[in-house]
């Protein structure tokens, strides 16, 4: 009797360690058949003077059923997770190639003007655009009209000398006549070259290597 039960247990072990490439449902079907064979062997070889209680069989069946449902549920959750990941990447791909408007530093390619949008003080009747390089040094100071909501920076330093390609940041100094009022922000468009998910957030990598969060974007447009 011992040898028979050992053989049944060995068969159970073999079935439960089937190749990972098999589907969860087929694995559980095979294991359940082996489990029933094991119970049959137990019943056939039990001690007549000390038979196994029927409740023990019921407990074993219930336990196996719970394990089977858990395995199938995990398999379903894995499939759902894979589908959601594909959907997420599909949404991320929609950002790439677009131009995002934000307060982040803009990339100047050495030739094409940078389009800017200014936020002026309400009382300002004159303003100056301050341009800084990646090191924070002032490159150029350009008088601008507060009535202009959109304007361009051509990529020049003070004196009209062209500057090299790189990241440049912008701000506006607002004046009423000659009195300084405040410094306000400037937004620019930059091309998105990469989008990735990071702990539930979407991180956008802009041309020139600058990174911003999707919540920092105030507008999108097709890349020209």
């Amino acid at each position: 009797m011992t040898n028979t039960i050992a053989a049944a247990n060995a068969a159970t072990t073999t079935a439960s360690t089937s190749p990972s490439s098999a589907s969860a449902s087929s694995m559980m079907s095979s294991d359940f058949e082996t489990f029933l064979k094991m119970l049959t062997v137990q019943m056939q070889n039990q001690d007549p003077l000390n038979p196994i209680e029927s409740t023990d069989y019921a407990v074993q069946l219930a336990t196996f059923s719970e394990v089977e449902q858990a395995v199938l549920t995990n398999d379903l959750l894995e499939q759902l997770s894979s589908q959601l990941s594909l959907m997420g990447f599909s949404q991320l791909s929609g950002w790439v190639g677009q131009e995002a408007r934000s307060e982040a530093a803009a990339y100047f390619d050495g030739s094409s003007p940078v389009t800017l949008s200014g936020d002026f003080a309400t009382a300002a009747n004159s303003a100056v655009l301050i341009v800084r390089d990646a090191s924070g040094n002032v490159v150029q100071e350009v008088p601008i009209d507060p009535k202009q909501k959109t304007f361009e920076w051509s990529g020049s330093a003070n004196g009209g000398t062209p500057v090299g390609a790189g990241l440049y940041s912008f701000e506006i100094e607002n004046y009423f006549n000659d009195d300084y009022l405040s410094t306000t922000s400037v937004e620019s468009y930059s091309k998105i070259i990469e989008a990735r998910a990071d702990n539930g957030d979407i991180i956008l990598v802009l041309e020139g290597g600058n990174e911003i969060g999707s919540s920092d974007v105030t507008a999108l447009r097709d890349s020209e």
Side-chain angles (χ1 to χ4, degrees):
M1 177 178 69
T2 302
N3 292 336
T4 305
I5 295 177
N9 289 335
T12 303
T13 302
T14 301
S16 62
T17 56
S18 56
S20 58
S21 60
S23 66
S25 58
S26 61
M27 287 173 61
M28 293 308 300
S29 177
S30 176
D31 287 348
F32 188 64
E33 291 179 2
T34 304
F35 179 71
L36 291 178
K37 291 179 182 179
M38 186 189 72
L39 287 184
T40 302
V41 172
Q42 279 185 301
M43 295 176 66
Q44 291 174 344
N45 296 275
Q46 63 181 324
D47 187 351
L49 300 178
N50 186 25
I52 299 175
E53 295 289 339
S54 59
T55 54
D56 292 337
Y57 289 118
V59 170
Q60 292 182 54
L61 284 170
T63 301
F64 186 89
S65 178
E66 290 177 0
V67 173
E68 179 184 29
Q69 291 301 319
V71 171
L72 293 177
T73 298
N74 288 339
D75 185 56
L76 180 60
L77 289 175
E78 288 179 2
Q79 294 178 15
L80 182 59
S81 177
S82 298
Q83 292 175 355
L84 290 176
S85 296
L86 290 175
M87 291 174 61
F89 278 113
S90 177
Q91 292 176 346
L92 288 176
S93 66
W95 290 87
V96 179
Q98 297 283 307
E99 288 189 349
R101 191 178 72 187
S102 71
E103 295 181 7
Y107 178 72
F108 174 63
D109 62 8
S111 59
S112 302
V114 179
T115 302
L116 305 172
S117 297
D119 181 18
F120 297 91
T122 303
N125 58 10
S126 64
V128 177
L129 174 67
I130 308 297
V131 183
R132 300 179 187 273
D133 61 19
S135 299
N137 301 314
V138 175
V139 173
Q140 189 178 27
E141 298 172 321
V142 186
I144 52 177
D145 186 352
K147 296 179 181 179
Q148 287 183 281
K149 297 303 180 182
T150 302
F151 43 94
E152 291 185 342
W153 177 60
S154 61
S156 300
N158 286 328
T161 304
V163 300
L167 290 172
Y168 294 88
S169 57
F170 309 90
E171 61 185 12
I172 293 174
E173 289 186 352
N174 298 273
Y175 295 88
F176 179 75
N177 296 331
D178 292 331
D179 296 328
Y180 170 78
L181 297 177
S182 63
T183 298
T184 51
S185 61
V186 175
E187 295 183 333
S188 61
Y189 280 98
S190 295
K191 187 176 181 179
I192 301 171
I193 60 175
E194 179 184 333
R196 68 174 185 269
D198 187 3
N199 295 324
D201 296 327
I202 297 178
I203 304 300
L204 305 174
V205 181
L206 306 179
E207 190 173 16
N210 208 11
E211 296 187 2
I212 61 174
S214 59
S215 58
D216 297 323
V217 177
T218 58
L220 284 173
R221 71 181 185 186
D222 289 333
S223 178
E224 298 177 354

